[in-house]
Amino acid sequence: MTTPHYIDGRWVEGQGSDCIVVHNPSDGQPFAELMAASSAQVDQAVAAARRALAPWKTVSATERATYLRGFAEQLGQRRDELIALQMRNNGKPRHEAEIDLDDASATFAYYADLAEQLPAKNRDVPLAAPGFTARTRLEPVGVVGLIVPWNFPLVTSAWKLAPALAAGCTVVLKPSEITPLIEQAYGQIAEVLGLPAGVLNIVGGKAETGAALSGHNGLDKLSFTGSNGVGSQVMRAAAAQCRPITLELGGKSAIVVFDDCDVDQAVEWIVAGITWNAGQMCSATSRLLVQEGIADALLPRLQAALVALRVGNPLTEEVDMGPLTSQAQWLKVAGYFATAREEGLKCLAGGTALDRDGWFVSPTLYVDVPVSSRLWGEEIFGPVLCARRFGSEAEAIAQANDSRFGLVATVCSADLERAERVADALEVGHVWINSVQAVFVETSWGGTKGSGIGRELGPWGLSGYQSVKHVTRCLG
Ligand code: NAD
């Protein structure tokens, strides 16, 4: 048992009714237990954030930046421990856990810089009309609830916490019940840095705790990352109070491979786009569109590359891919394997759970998947790739855009003019040309259509936590 909740600058036991059991997905064994925060504790956290708001808003930009740089540095100091915990609780291979840690740290450093630039953004607005002056103030939106999933816990939370704190907001963070320990590091770092009590609060729990937070009438905004099903419930809770919301939801993203590509390079990009984090990425490029002229050469090599991947326990073996992070996710992916068999899909690799302890599945490739297939249309959230062929550029764009999601896409082509043209035509929030999953803190993150509302990262991530005020004065 741990005391997992950080409320008003103190660590407290959970008083909720849910017991959360934390597992190692590589062997399926539990290694920690904690009680969820109760609704009353969510109330206490929101009240603490409200009390802390007025003083935190007036802290100088330089001081706020110093705290944020402190988060970046402390993450670096706790590097080994946090990498080990992500490997143990998420099942991430070491190199992926390292990248997550570096990404989180870079996010805090980036928003420290942006916090310092804030005073210069409050400036006069030139007016065409005589007799008036006007000036802009970028103010924090207020007390913000942050609800996050389990697939990139350090990173997703950093993408919300760093800009929110930079903007001058106070926050209540609810981590996922699957990975409830990792974000405790942010509370511990806040303590070490002497961040004023109530500026950052962390309440752990399942749906009940999440719902208590998302429906809380003491919030000024909610930022949610997770599934479309829960996103829709969170949106309803926000609608009931006409409150602003950011939603980072699911995806079913395309990777488009034209026939002028180097086959081996294309295979590398395709494999990375579907097996990184065992495919548990909102941005997984899980729909492969391959041009007729290259398909016969590419698909057998892709099959061989997927079959050759080393899948195993990242704590004890050299692996390319770890397990799925939860038993629920493993059962869900196994359910899609069963659907694929029922639908008669042609499987070139995988399509099965591994016969060993832990929540492992094989990297999987289905080809010639009809657009009517559930596997073509739905987010699976596992290492399951569905492929189709296309003839013309127009056909590739039409097939890629034929989705209720619109998060990301990858375009692979030696013809850069064409790649740029296709990138412009894709209905998504982010396109990678001849690269995969390269996320930089300076660029935006977020989707169109069913993939969400709003953007994280870059200056857009900061704007999500700011409210624009204008002060207009009559000179007469
Ligand atoms: P999920 O929606 O089940 O849970 C997300 C969070 O919501 C968790 O903290 C959970 O406890 C909480 N929650 C559950 N029920 C709730 C309720 N009724 N009210 C309020 N909160 C509630 O998602 P998940 O399984 O943790 O994560 C996987 C999903 O997240 C995938 O769909 C993936 O695409 C998406 N995701 C999106 C992005 C992005 O940036 N677009 C990034 C990562 C993950």
Side-chain angles (χ1 to χ4, degrees), residues 147-151 156 174-177 205-207 210-211 214 224-228 230 233-234 248-251 281-282 379 381 407 445 451:
I147 299 182
V148 293
W150 44 265
N151 56 337
T156 315
K174 196 206 84 64
S176 167
E177 62 273 32
K206 300 184 182 177
S214 63
F224 171 83
T225 299
S227 64
N228 284 59
V230 176
Q233 293 178 46
V234 162
E248 296 289 351
L249 305 175
M281 297 180 286
C282 51
E379 181 184 51
F381 225 55
L407 192 56
W445 188 259
S451 288

Side-chain angles (χ1 to χ4, degrees), residues 256-289:
V256 183
V257 180
F258 286 94
D259 57 15
D260 56 1
C261 281
D262 176 84
V263 172
D264 291 328
Q265 178 61 80
V267 165
E268 209 177 287
W269 288 326
I270 297 164
V271 170
I274 193 64
T275 61
W276 189 266
N277 210 31
Q280 301 165 117
M281 297 180 286
C282 51
S283 55
T285 39
S286 52
R287 290 186 299 143
L288 168 62
L289 291 166

